[in-house]
Amino acid sequence: MKIRYAVAALAVALAPYSASHALDIGGLVGAGSKVVQAATLSDAEIKALSDKACAQSDSQEKIAAPGSKYDARLQKIAKSLGGTVNGQKASYKVYITKDVNAWAMANGCIRVYSGLMDMMTDDEVMGVVGHEIGHVALGHSKKAMQTAYTVSAARDAAGAAGGSTVAALSASQLGDLTEKFINAQFSQSQESGADDYSFDLLQSKKLNTRGLVTAFQKLAELDGGKSDMMSSHPSSAKRAQHIEERIAKAK
């Protein structure tokens, strides 16, 4: 089974085993990279790029039909978490694939892969989705799109069009942008922040926070308890332990 890592992915167990496609968002941002500084996209431009990238991704994947088993599960989870993500109307869909993955964009586009849903309960998937929402709410997804745009062919297209960020994108340029976004990586602090956001969100809605723990435990089993190729990322097991400690303190 192929394991993929999304820019808003829950855990290091979702990381791809090919470093060639990984873009270390956290490292670039944390280092004050000139690449990141060069991207000065407005919120409106981020939304426009996210709209196009989400549509591009949808066009390349098999999506669970409305009312189908997978879709019904995810929509039930979405209803529990709320219909908006950081002020944006949320769009929840399931990709039919054996890949274990989930991600979210700053425009409220949330995608969960059936491979992940197959191995997790609804409470565990809810913890994953809460983590994805956390990346959006904390601004991580916005920075990820900004960085993906800057280092992809999309930026060259905008330059050729006199600075137009979105209008000039060809299908291949948009595909390059989308791939870099989905395969990007967050820093340890960003991942931990999204973990805590998910816990706080679940707790505020009186939902089962233990699902976040067991989701990490399953991911730890999937990756053998090891962290991914980025040493700054905590292992799934350590993240499960952190949430366990938060549950204990909340009692």
Side-chain angles (χ1 to χ4, degrees):
M1 176 172 59
K2 183 179 180 182
I3 304 172
R4 296 175 60 186
Y5 184 92
V7 73
L10 170 67
V12 296
L14 304 187
Y17 294 110
S18 172
S20 63
H21 292 128
L23 175 64
D24 183 7
I25 297 296
L28 287 173
V29 174
S33 168
K34 292 181 180 179
V35 172
V36 176
Q37 293 173 356
T40 56
L41 301 177
S42 67
D43 287 348
E45 289 172 325
I46 291 291
K47 184 181 184 305
L49 283 171
S50 297
D51 287 345
K52 284 185 172 288
C54 184
Q56 169 77 6
S57 181
D58 285 354
S59 71
Q60 296 179 330
E61 300 286 347
K62 181 179 179 181
I63 299 174
S68 63
K69 179 183 69 173
Y70 287 115
D71 181 70
R73 281 186 66 194
L74 185 58
Q75 298 310 321
K76 179 182 177 182
I77 290 167
K79 186 176 181 179
S80 297
L81 292 173
T84 61
V85 177
N86 206 30
Q88 300 283 343
K89 183 178 180 181
S91 166
Y92 291 85
K93 293 183 181 180
V94 179
Y95 287 168
I96 304 300
T97 170
K98 292 183 179 180
D99 294 347
V100 176
N101 202 2
W103 49 264
M105 293 184 180
N107 64 338
C109 172
I110 298 174
R111 300 296 181 259
V112 180
Y113 293 23
S114 61
L116 184 143
M117 296 183 75
D118 286 340
M119 66 178 285
M120 293 189 178
T121 66
D122 285 0
D123 286 339
E124 290 164 348
V125 174
M126 194 175 299
V128 172
V129 174
H131 176 97
E132 309 306 336
I133 292 173
H135 277 309
V136 174
L138 297 172
H140 305 160
S141 297
K142 175 181 176 179
K143 291 179 180 178
M145 181 59 74
Q146 185 181 57
T147 304
Y149 163 77
T150 307
V151 300
S152 71
R155 186 183 177 202
D156 294 334
S164 174
T165 302
V166 179
L169 296 183
S170 67
S172 62
Q173 290 159 343
L174 183 58
D176 183 38
L177 168 71
T178 304
E179 180 182 8
K180 284 183 167 57
F181 178 90
I182 292 177
N183 288 318
Q185 295 185 356
F186 283 137
S187 68
Q188 176 177 342
S189 63
Q190 289 169 327
E191 293 289 7
S192 296
D195 293 347
D196 283 328
Y197 185 96
S198 180
F199 179 87
D200 291 338
L201 176 64
L202 296 172
Q203 189 177 55
S204 69
K205 293 182 177 294
K206 303 186 185 306
L207 299 170
N208 183 6
T209 54
R210 181 152 294 282
L212 188 56
V213 175
T214 53
F216 280 128
Q217 290 172 339
K218 286 183 177 180
L219 291 170
E221 293 176 3
L222 196 64
D223 74 351
K226 301 176 182 178
S227 64
D228 73 342
M229 57 196 170
M230 301 301 296
S231 59
S232 63
H233 286 74
S235 70
S236 301
K238 288 183 178 179
R239 292 163 79 172
Q241 181 180 356
H242 171 68
I243 299 300
E244 284 272 28
E245 292 170 353
R246 290 211 57 189
I247 291 174
K249 289 180 181 179
K251 292 182 178 178

